[in-house]
Amino acid sequence: MLEDDPVACSFVSTRDYAGCAVLALRGDLDISDRAELSSRLAAVASCGPWVIVDLTNLAYMDCGSLGVLAAVRERAQLAGGDMLLAGPRGAVAWMLLLTGRAREFSVFPSVGVAAFGAGLAAIGTRLATDGAGKSLTAATEKMVMATGTVTAP
């Protein structure tokens, strides 16, 4: 069974977590998995511009797989979002550091923290688009009015 095989990579996708598309990886990710990784990431990225790759249960990742992640990140950024990495541990965290990719990606300790970070970034982008440079209060009020009325306690 694939899930019990420590050598194979298992792809488990979650379509929506706090407005972000999530792809959870498990096992080892190497050259034999690149085509499927690219396909799965493309499918997850089609759900929205904010993508989180959950690396919590990934034991190993090769440099080529990091290249696939970087390419998908560029596409997410062009769509107005980003690809965030969550929970890298052990050899995966070490690979990110050794290759310098840890500086390129936004890396978070968990999917929840990554989703929170994506939410903050999305709000910042929206405020900038709505003219927050002129008036943060006016832009915030515009966002609140667009989502509905807010009543005082």
Side-chain angles (χ1 to χ4, degrees), residues 99-121:
T99 60
R101 299 279 187 171
R103 290 186 305 271
E104 293 176 28
F105 287 98
S106 297
V107 182
F108 296 89
S110 69
V111 170
V113 175
F116 182 76
L120 290 177

Side-chain angles (χ1 to χ4, degrees), residues 4-153:
D4 295 328
D5 185 353
V7 178
C9 183
S10 173
F11 300 88
V12 183
S13 62
T14 305
R15 293 218 168 245
D16 186 22
Y17 183 92
C20 299
V22 178
L23 178 65
L25 304 177
R26 179 174 185 238
D28 292 350
L29 189 59
D30 60 26
I31 191 169
S32 64
D33 300 304
R34 281 191 207 146
E36 186 172 359
L37 174 64
S38 183
S39 173
R40 296 283 183 130
L41 282 169
V44 171
S46 71
C47 296
W50 290 95
V51 178
I52 298 172
V53 179
D54 183 0
L55 305 173
T56 305
N57 294 310
L58 190 66
Y60 172 79
M61 179 187 318
D62 70 352
C63 293
S65 298
L66 282 173
V68 172
L69 292 176
V72 174
R73 179 175 190 244
E74 287 179 24
R75 288 190 298 250
Q77 289 175 326
L78 289 172
D82 201 353
M83 184 174 71
L84 314 174
L85 304 181
R89 291 172 170 60
V92 175
W94 188 243
M95 180 64 73
L96 286 167
L97 290 172
L98 283 177
T99 60
R101 299 279 187 171
R103 290 186 305 271
E104 293 176 28
F105 287 98
S106 297
V107 182
F108 296 89
S110 69
V111 170
V113 175
F116 182 76
L120 290 177
I123 289 170
T125 300
R126 190 156 177 205
L127 286 172
T129 302
D130 288 346
K134 298 175 190 168
S135 170
L136 180 59
T137 303
T140 305
E141 286 175 1
K142 183 177 177 182
M143 285 174 45
V144 169
M145 295 305 289
T147 60
T149 58
V150 177
T151 58

